[in-house]
Amino acid sequence: MTFNDIFKSSFLEGFSSFSLLDTVLSLGAAILIGLFIFYVYQKTYNGVLYSRSFNVSLVAILLVTTLVINGVTSNVVLSLGMVGALSIVRFRTAVKDPMDLVFLFWAIAEGILCGASLLPLALLGCPVLGIFLLLFANHQQKDNPYLIIIRLMDGKQEGRIEEFLQKEVKKMQLKSKTVNGGAGTELIYEIRPHDSDSGFVNVISKIEGVESAVMVSYDGNYAA
């Protein structure tokens, strides 16, 4: 009984079809591209709390996708089994920011290209997308919207607050009003200040009957 008889020809053929050089090149390119995506995500993030773990996971997803595609392209039977295995996977993590989805698809697409040995396409598309995101993802509007949250001891000062805000901001709109009975009233306005000066918030907080006044950046996805 020979060595070939013990391990079967299919095992040896699969091992012989594996190219160490191609794998090293694809993984090396994937690491470089992953670091570039890591840098772009860090520079373009506009959320409240930056998640380093999510950014690291983008690089890991790119590398894992590269390995999977390397295996799939070398064996047709394995590719069918991989499709069946991945079809039962369910991801429950909620992605709140649409830009996070862009980076996820970017990492997966680059991993597929690297795993399929389409390195010129992967390296060409990477800086194009990166420059586009660096130029436009951090682009700020001329009139940045804000939310101002005002808590009143009672509702008597509501008219005075609205009159004051109309003089201090370009535009205002009532987004939410909560009346807590004897606990007071909470007003939430979307405002567009004349400039970056937020001194009028201090004035509002000193008005009689105002318990607190808070101004926060508003991206259009606020949930009370």
Side-chain angles (χ1 to χ4, degrees):
M1 182 177 294
T2 64
F3 183 81
N4 291 346
D5 294 330
I6 296 175
F7 290 96
K8 303 297 181 181
S9 61
S10 59
F11 175 83
L12 294 178
E13 289 175 0
F15 191 85
S16 62
S17 64
F18 170 76
S19 175
L20 179 61
L21 179 60
D22 292 343
T23 303
V24 170
L25 289 176
S26 61
L27 287 177
I31 291 175
L32 292 177
I33 294 173
L35 293 176
F36 181 74
I37 294 176
F38 183 94
Y39 171 80
V40 173
Y41 181 81
Q42 191 176 44
K43 291 298 182 182
T44 58
Y45 184 77
N46 289 321
V48 178
L49 294 175
Y50 165 74
S51 176
R52 180 179 175 85
S53 61
F54 178 81
N55 203 358
V56 173
S57 69
L58 292 176
V59 183
I61 288 174
L62 198 156
L63 293 173
V64 170
T65 306
T66 301
L67 288 175
V68 170
I69 298 302
N70 268 325
V72 167
T73 54
S74 63
N75 193 314
V76 177
V77 177
L78 178 61
S79 65
L80 298 176
M82 189 68 67
V83 171
L86 293 178
S87 65
I88 64 175
V89 177
R90 296 292 184 270
F91 297 97
R92 300 291 183 180
T93 303
V95 180
K96 298 181 179 179
D97 191 347
M99 288 302 299
D100 289 348
L101 283 176
V102 173
F103 281 94
L104 282 172
F105 279 112
W106 186 12
I108 294 173
E110 292 290 349
I112 293 174
L113 293 176
C114 290
S117 298
L118 299 175
L119 298 184
L121 182 58
L123 295 174
L124 178 62
C126 191
V128 173
L129 287 171
I131 293 173
F132 174 82
L133 291 173
L134 288 171
L135 289 177
F136 293 99
N138 281 334
H139 180 70
Q140 300 293 329
Q141 299 178 8
K142 294 182 179 179
D143 297 328
N144 294 324
Y146 292 89
L147 285 181
I148 183 167
I149 306 170
I150 304 172
R151 290 184 174 88
L152 306 175
M153 297 178 184
D154 53 52
K156 297 180 181 180
Q157 299 295 337
E158 182 178 347
R160 183 179 175 185
I161 295 296
E162 290 186 357
E163 183 180 353
F164 177 79
L165 283 175
Q166 288 175 354
K167 297 178 181 178
E168 296 293 329
V169 300
K170 295 180 181 179
K171 183 180 179 180
M172 60 172 287
Q173 181 181 4
L174 181 64
K175 304 294 290 186
S176 173
K177 178 180 179 179
T178 304
V179 180
N180 297 320
T185 302
E186 181 183 82
L187 303 172
I188 300 178
Y189 293 95
E190 178 186 345
I191 61 173
R192 294 180 183 271
H194 291 290
D195 49 36
S196 58
D197 184 19
S198 60
F200 63 92
V201 181
N202 300 331
V203 178
I204 293 176
S205 65
K206 295 178 181 178
I207 296 177
E208 183 180 357
V210 176
E211 183 178 350
S212 65
V214 180
M215 187 173 76
V216 297
S217 178
Y218 176 49
D219 60 0
N221 296 318
Y222 176 79

